[in-house]
Amino acid sequence: MTLKKFVLIPVIIGVLACLIQALDQLLYTSVPPEGNVGFSWISFQSWAVYFLAGCTVRGGIKAFIAYAIGIAASIVIMVLGGAMTPALGFFAVPVAVGVIAFCAIFCERSEWLSLVPALFIGAGAFFAFMNYVPNATFATAALTEMIYCTIGLLFGYITICLRSAYEKKVSEDTEKTKE
């Protein structure tokens, strides 16, 4: 594909990125917790995860499941770490992280749970949310993260649909000019 024909692909991606940001600016006041400043960063992460997951609907579903498991794992780590603090002090949270990370790797053994990188990205986003968003609770963080995760995965799907359609058209046009 020539540069002249390729340039439309970055334009499409740029427009989609613009739309995610605009959507966040319209949506963030409607999602918990009150007073947040938006979460487009979660959508951008999950948009990238869609590509990591293979650019398929099946991969997107696996990514969605992995994000949910990552959130659940984060909650368990926080609760377990807090519960073990009286006994382990400084080491309570590191031990909780180690135990849950050990368990998370077993997800590789299941077809639908095997997208472990997305699990860790979902967990990391949840930890960031809980540590840096005032008034966040487990429920509000989980709900909002999954909303924005879904937006990003949807934009990944849209990206592939638009790019595939455009590349098919360019290919067909190229074939016609060869005839």
Side-chain angles (χ1 to χ4, degrees):
M1 178 181 302
T2 67
L3 179 60
K4 183 178 176 181
K5 291 180 181 176
F6 178 80
V7 78
L8 189 56
I9 294 171
V11 168
I12 291 168
I13 304 299
V15 168
L16 290 173
C18 177
L19 290 173
I20 281 181
Q21 187 58 46
L23 182 59
D24 179 45
Q25 289 176 208
L26 293 171
L27 184 61
Y28 81 93
T29 58
S30 302
V31 297
E34 188 174 319
N36 75 73
V37 293
F39 301 101
S40 62
W41 58 275
I42 296 171
S43 293
F44 283 106
Q45 284 181 333
S46 65
W47 188 9
V49 166
Y50 188 82
F51 300 109
L52 173 74
C55 302
T56 64
V57 171
R58 180 182 178 94
I61 293 168
K62 287 173 65 170
F64 182 87
I65 293 168
Y67 262 75
I69 293 170
I71 290 168
S74 297
I75 292 169
V76 171
I77 288 167
M78 291 175 186
V79 170
L80 186 60
M84 293 189 309
T85 296
L88 299 178
F90 171 85
F91 294 101
V93 174
V95 167
V97 168
V99 168
I100 300 308
F102 168 84
C103 294
I105 299 304
F106 282 96
C107 289
E108 287 182 11
R109 310 270 305 157
S110 168
E111 173 59 29
W112 284 100
L113 308 180
S114 64
L115 195 58
V116 175
L119 183 155
F120 281 96
I121 292 168
F126 190 81
F127 285 129
F129 200 120
M130 290 301 297
N131 284 312
Y132 298 108
V133 177
N135 305 314
T137 65
F138 289 159
T140 60
L143 173 65
T144 300
E145 182 175 345
M146 292 308 295
I147 289 168
Y148 278 86
C149 167
T150 302
I151 292 167
L153 293 172
L154 178 62
F155 272 72
Y157 173 78
I158 291 167
T159 301
I160 296 304
C161 289
L162 292 174
R163 184 172 181 156
S164 297
Y166 177 67
E167 288 177 345
K168 181 179 178 188
K169 182 183 178 332
V170 168
S171 178
E172 289 170 354
D173 290 349
T174 302
E175 288 301 316
K176 285 179 185 175
T177 58
K178 285 182 182 178
E179 295 174 356

